[in-house]
Amino acid sequence: MAPVLPLALPLQPRIRLAQGLWLLSWVLALAGGLTLLCSGHLLVQLLHLRTFLAPSCPFTALPQVALAAGAVALCTGLAGAGASRASLDAAQYPPWRRVLGPLLVAGTAGGGGLLVLALALALALPGSLDTGLEEGLGAAMAHYKDTEVPGHCHAKRLLDELQLRHHCCGRHGFKDWFGVQWVSSRYLDPNDQEVVDRIQSNVEGLYLTDGVPFSCCNPHSPRPCLQDRLSDPHAHPLFDPRQPNLNLWAQGCHGVLLGHLQGLASTLGSLLAVTFLLQTPVLLGLRYLQTALEGLGGVIDGAGETQGYLLPGGLRHRLRTAWLQGGAAHRPAPGEAPAEEAPPGGDPPEA
Amino acid sequence: MALLKVSFDQKRRVKLAQGLWLLNWLAVLAGTVVFGLGLFLKVELRKRSDVMGNSESHLVPNSLIGVGVLSCAVHALAGKVCYDALDPAKYAKWKPWLRPYLAACVLLQAALLLAALCCLLLRGSLEGALALGLRQGLRFYRDTDTPGRCYMKKTIDLLQIEFRCCGNNGFRDWFEIQWISNRYLDFSSKEVKDRIKSNVDGRYLVDGVPFSCCNPNSPRPCIQYQLTNNSAHYSYDHQTEELNLWVRGCRAALLSYYSSLMNSMGAVTLLVWLFDVTATTGLRYLHTALESVSNPEDPECESEGWLLEKSVPETWKAFLESLKKLGKSNQVEAEGADAGQAPEAG
């Protein structure tokens, strides 16, 4: 039975293949390193924002899988560079002969699998950010006043810092603050009639005001920040709440954070795609190089014609007999790599 | 008697030259680092020149930049010289230049040390510039309609938010200036009229601060106005309240930021200086070792390298003598020219 996808590789094309592979492997290592950095950055950002993402949001899985995929791609690139460099030098090749087979299996199954998984996550998960942020921000705003409740005492500081750093106010706008009690009851005077009126004016007994915290203030405004009585057009001179103005940050934190995280996720996704497109030819090239050199018996400088192939001839027959015998005698070839790649089966040809 | 004599055989000379080649290229890298540090400091100073009254001195970053560039150039050349030192033919063309070149290296090391000391010591002028600049900045806070000053409010607000500070020395600086523009005051209100009449300059002074002084770590929503009036707010005592506003003044905050920046830069520059001195010393040894090769035809012979040919006082005397001779030779030439002209005229 003929080997799968054979390719004649005399000396010159073999050398060209090794040289091209060396260059491509370094580019793959670079792409793997960049993916590693980008996923690390996204992981750090998510760590800072974990208060504002609902715990049930699966988005944090993306940078973790991408981190692993990037690490494997980096190692594959470095190994590929080393192997292709060694294949040009007769003295350096023998130690690589033994390692190359398992390396290719790990690179395809492990690296390829992780990359495909990470790509799938990068496409599917950003959609779940919307609800995650909605819930998380809503919970943070509700707990803004709970500066003395253990477990939520940091909500105020974190939300203030978020609004100051990202230049946003509320979930979708500053009016979100009108519907939440953000002043702790500890600092409300129970004897003040105005306070009592406000608390009695709504069903849940919350102290609601038409004011916002200081972190919503926009420094670009020409007038000192107006934070309270925002719905009353007569409360402040020259201020009409119906007119657009620079007094507070106009955008809501939901939109800002969503854009920020989705941007990072799409960058990561493109890097993963580029890494995948680089890893496939590197692995294929390494497989062809390996099988071609095995055909020469490991002698690098042999000028004889030799053939490289993806899968050895007779593999299907061997697999069938192994399957019929129950597969107990020897381990079946680990050909469980994803279907879209032609899996270079893990059997290193016998020397 | 030579200073710190060391004997070299051929192998040691070769090793010295190779080690020096590597050392010099690392010194080029170190020079680039110093250049980068100088550039970074210059950018940081420019970013905040608004609150320094545009009068801050750029001596420190400029000196770091200059010294960094010079160090790169000098050590790149030294690396090339060390590379050629192993080949007598190539080395011969460098020979006449090495003495003045080593003198230039020594001058560069002195300049590098001076730059490092500048980093660590020149802080006083920055403090003065900051005090002046911040005082002005606070005064112009309300002038958001005046061209040329309209950005000051934004600058001060962003500064107070970023550096977690309030006012010049503390938040009470805001009580002494009018930071609310007249445009947004309702002059028909009695309260406004009272406040304006209550002081000689007719300014609207409040015991309040802008929102950027607020401290997010406070458990209660920020209190910005009527800060000294305990009865205006429930359960509030202005004497004991510490978390409401930022306590530090912006001058202290900025000064500590720039101090720590310059301290670390000074430390790095000192390390680079030590490294460069090692490289220059090695080059001097290589130079003298190759000079004292007694038989140029036999490259395997032993030779000796030293730092100075004679001891330090003798070298200094010889240097002064050569300077005097230089002066005398000029004099002799001048007299000779005069004597030559006199017979002609006579």
Side-chain angles (χ1 to χ4, degrees), chain B residues 11-59:
Chain B
K11 254 207 296 189
R12 281 182 86 182
R13 273 203 300 274
V14 168
K15 273 232 177 68
L16 180 67
Q18 286 172 337
L20 274 179
W21 176 82
L22 188 66
L23 213 63
N24 275 304
W25 281 109
L26 287 177
V28 169
L29 211 66
T32 324
V33 165
V34 170
F35 171 76
L37 286 178
L39 209 62
F40 176 69
L41 185 62
K42 196 170 177 78
V43 164
E44 281 292 306
L45 283 174
R46 292 284 287 191
K47 262 202 312 198
R48 316 232 177 260
S49 59
D50 291 334
V51 295
M52 295 198 248
N54 289 315
S55 66
E56 77 276 13
S57 142
H58 278 240
L59 176 67

Side-chain angles (χ1 to χ4, degrees), chain A residues 269-287:
Chain A
S270 0
L271 274 176
L272 284 169
V274 166
T275 311
F276 182 72
L277 288 174
L278 285 172
Q279 185 156 327
T280 318
V282 165
L283 287 171
L284 285 175
L286 273 178
R287 175 64 174 169

